[in-house]
Amino acid sequence: MITVTHLRLGPHCPTALTLQDGPSDRLRSLAAKVLSPPEHDLWHSFGQHKKQREWLAGRLAAKIALRRQMPRLGPLRTLSLLPREGRSGPVAGPQGWQVSLAHSGAYALAACARHPLGVDIETRTTFRPEILPYFLSTTERDLLGQLPPNDPRLPVLWAVKEAVLKTRLARSLAEISDIFWTGWGHGCRIAVRDARLPCLTAFGGIWRGTAVAVASAHIRTEARA
C-alpha cells in the first residue's frame, strides 16, 4: 500500500511516497498511527476519501523526511504539521525546520531544511496552449519554442515554479507569474529567477512519470540585518 523512495535532485534528497488507494478502514487505521490529534481532526473534516488520502500521504512523507534529519524523533503521531494559517497552505515545521510537502493523486513529495525550501509534484502530463501564458511569460515561451502539449518539460517547469512559491511561503498560485525560467542547467538543475529570493537554486525531473521539483534559497547575511 505504501512505498517510500528518497530521490536525488542535485544536492537535495526529498522523500517521495506512494500511497495506493484502499478501503476506508485501512486509511483510518493508518491515520490513527501517523496523525497527531489536531492533525486527525483536520484530516477528518475534509470528508472526501480522495482528499483524505492525499493529505495523509503528504503528512506521512513529511514526517519520514523529518525523521531522516532527526533520528530521535518520537512516534509520528506525536508531531503536528499543521498549516501556518487556516486549513491549508505552508506548514509550520518543528524546532526551526522549514517543511515543504506536496501531493498529487497517489503520490506525495516532502523535504525539510534549516533554510527556505519548497517541493512540488505534478502528475498532469498535458498542458493546453491556453494554460501556458498563466505560468510562462512571452519571453519564456519564445525561448522554449513550439512544444507539444504533452512535452515533459512543461510539467517540470510548473513543478519548479510551484516549488519556488513554496520556498517563499506563498499562499497564492497567482504569484507564479513572478518567477522566470532562464534556461536548463547541468544535470537536473533548472535556472530560475525570483526577485524575492536572490540566492535561489532549483532542480527538477521526472519520477515514475510525474514531474518533481525542489527549490531552496540561502538568505544572505546582509538581507537578514
Side-chain angles (χ1 to χ4, degrees):
M1 184 179 182
I2 300 172
T3 59
V4 176
T5 306
H6 300 297
L7 305 181
R8 174 60 66 181
L9 289 172
H12 304 284
C13 195
T15 297
L17 182 143
T18 305
L19 177 58
Q20 297 294 344
D21 201 4
S24 296
D25 59 340
R26 290 177 62 184
L27 197 67
R28 289 193 296 268
S29 176
L30 179 61
K33 296 176 182 177
V34 170
L35 301 179
S36 69
E39 288 176 320
H40 196 278
D41 289 344
L42 181 55
W43 172 81
H44 189 266
S45 74
F46 290 124
Q48 292 185 346
H49 179 87
K50 178 178 181 293
K51 173 65 174 178
Q52 289 181 336
R53 179 168 62 96
E54 291 182 341
W55 201 88
L56 178 59
R59 261 53 189 184
L60 180 54
K63 293 185 181 189
I64 292 172
L66 276 167
R67 174 162 278 170
R68 295 188 74 214
Q69 301 293 336
M70 305 165 64
R72 295 184 181 181
L73 188 69
L76 298 184
R77 66 180 180 276
T78 64
L79 172 65
S80 285
L81 296 177
L82 295 169
R84 292 171 181 255
E85 300 177 24
R87 290 166 51 84
S88 62
V91 171
Q95 302 177 27
W97 289 93
Q98 181 158 323
V99 177
S100 182
L101 59 90
H103 45 71
S104 185
Y107 300 117
L109 188 71
C112 57
R114 294 288 191 183
H115 52 79
L117 170 138
V119 301
D120 192 53
I121 186 166
E122 177 63 52
T123 55
R124 175 170 46 181
T125 57
T126 301
F127 282 77
R128 300 188 307 275
E130 59 268 27
I131 297 176
L132 300 186
Y134 178 73
F135 75 102
L136 293 172
S137 67
T138 302
T139 300
E140 289 172 307
R141 297 198 303 276
D142 288 343
L143 286 172
L144 285 166
Q146 292 294 324
L147 298 179
N150 61 348
D151 191 295
R153 288 172 289 184
L154 294 174
V156 169
L157 284 174
W158 178 281
V160 164
K161 292 194 175 192
E162 270 219 60
V164 173
L165 288 181
K166 293 178 180 181
T167 302
R168 61 152 92 152
L169 301 178
R171 292 184 56 84
S172 172
L173 265 177
E175 297 178 30
I176 202 167
S177 59
D178 298 339
I179 302 157
F180 298 94
W181 167 77
T182 59
W184 307 109
H186 295 293
C188 58
R189 184 162 184 166
I190 298 174
V192 289
R193 176 169 47 85
D194 180 1
R196 302 190 194 183
L197 297 171
C199 300
L200 175 67
T201 58
F203 301 84
I206 299 293
W207 170 72
R208 294 188 179 179
T210 68
V212 292
V214 57
S216 64
H218 294 273
I219 301 173
R220 296 188 180 103
T221 302
E222 61 269 22
R224 292 197 299 261

